[in-house]
Amino acid sequence: MSRRCLHVSRHPRTLWSFMDRGNSAYGYAECYSQPEPPELKQVRLSAIAADPAESQKMISPLQGAFLSGFVRAQRPKSVLELGCYVGYSALWLAHGLRDTASSTKPHVWTCERDAAVARTAVENITTAGYKHAISVLNQPAEAVLEAWNRKVDMVFIDANKSAYRQYYDMILDRELLSEHGQIIVDNVLFHGKVHSKPRSRIATKIHEFNQYVANDPRTTQVILPVFDGLMIASRA
């Protein structure tokens, strides 16, 4: 039986030419990965229709499937996402948690500084049926981290790229990450621009962040050259 492919990525290119969206390798990967749930697909398509340019902030369905599978494998009880936009990535994270067996129901907290966008995220999460599993905080990421007062098992950083080091240090300096917790950071290869010169201001900031983490004895880390670059850091 042939598999029906539900994924239609917003992003036309990846970092590597053999994985370009128009190439059969990327389509093959989408086709034989976890399919995009219909309720999540509706959120993505609505965001694209509302603002095609801004919608590029969203992760791709294939990256969502990866995050969902990663969360399902790690089984965190608490996930904090820095950078919500319309709630699409938070929905994928919660989707991965949906069958986690635990005496404490796993939960995703996500933050969005723009009030109107945060309201849209709440609407999307409610309509998708995940209101019980996701809380949207209408605050900047740094304010959320400053006020956070409990351990968290996983942090997904996808907010202000220039502030990545600030977020990372706040998480570790305030000892917010649980003993076996992980920090996942998106866009650490920034369209393939961090390893070439001249770098843009944002690419330079991300390059400096990557160097900083690599030299930080508090964590061990790996950068995966997938999507727009994913870093996974754990406590050393």
Side-chain angles (χ1 to χ4, degrees):
M1 180 182 296
S2 62
R3 182 182 177 98
R4 184 183 178 188
C5 301
L6 300 179
H7 304 174
V8 182
S9 176
R10 167 64 192 158
H11 307 285
R13 294 185 62 83
T14 65
L15 285 171
W16 315 114
S17 59
F18 84 95
M19 285 289 284
D20 284 353
R21 182 62 184 86
N23 187 287
S24 60
Y26 194 90
Y28 184 91
E30 286 186 319
C31 189
Y32 291 99
S33 296
Q34 177 182 175
E36 181 182 28
E39 63 273 17
L40 274 65
K41 182 176 182 179
Q42 183 56 50
V43 170
R44 180 173 57 83
L45 294 181
S46 295
I48 293 171
D51 194 327
E54 281 292 295
S55 70
Q56 294 186 56
K57 292 179 177 179
M58 289 186 295
I59 62 173
S60 68
L62 189 59
Q63 184 173 350
F66 169 82
L67 288 175
S68 177
F70 188 78
V71 165
R72 188 175 178 83
Q74 297 299 312
R75 306 177 77 84
K77 295 179 181 178
S78 56
V79 178
L80 175 61
E81 178 186 47
L82 305 179
C84 175
Y85 187 44
V86 296
Y88 184 67
S89 50
L91 284 165
W92 270 114
L93 291 166
H95 182 70
L97 292 174
R98 69 195 185 286
D99 296 325
T100 299
S102 172
S103 57
T104 303
K105 288 292 184 182
H107 199 82
V108 176
W109 286 266
T110 183
C111 65
E112 170 57 51
R113 67 188 308 155
D114 185 293
V117 177
R119 286 194 296 271
T120 298
V122 171
E123 292 169 4
N124 288 337
I125 289 164
T126 301
T127 301
Y130 283 84
K131 185 178 180 180
H132 65 288
I134 305 172
S135 297
V136 178
L137 309 172
N138 181 205
Q139 293 177 287
E142 56 270 23
V144 170
L145 290 173
E146 184 63 40
W148 199 263
N149 60 3
R150 71 195 76 155
K151 296 284 186 181
V152 64
D153 297 322
M154 186 175 291
V155 183
F156 179 48
I157 300 178
D158 191 18
N160 178 6
K161 312 307 174 195
S162 297
Y164 273 11
R165 177 172 169 175
Q166 178 186 3
Y167 304 151
Y168 171 86
D169 276 337
M170 291 182 75
I171 292 165
L172 296 177
D173 291 347
R174 301 196 65 239
E175 299 183 348
L176 302 180
L177 197 65
S178 63
E179 182 179 359
H180 301 292
Q182 292 172 311
I183 301 171
I184 305 173
V185 191
D186 200 13
N187 306 116
V188 293
L189 295 182
F190 199 64
H191 316 305
K193 296 178 180 178
V194 295
H195 58 280
S196 60
K197 296 180 180 180
R199 299 186 184 98
S200 66
R201 180 183 63 83
I202 295 178
T204 297
K205 284 283 189 181
I206 294 177
H207 170 66
E208 291 171 350
F209 166 73
N210 291 339
Q211 283 187 315
Y212 179 73
V213 177
N215 293 317
D216 186 358
R218 296 176 295 178
T219 61
T220 59
Q221 71 293 319
V222 61
I223 291 179
L224 302 175
V226 294
F227 313 116
D228 195 26
L230 273 183
M231 176 189 288
I232 301 176
S234 304
R235 289 175 56 177

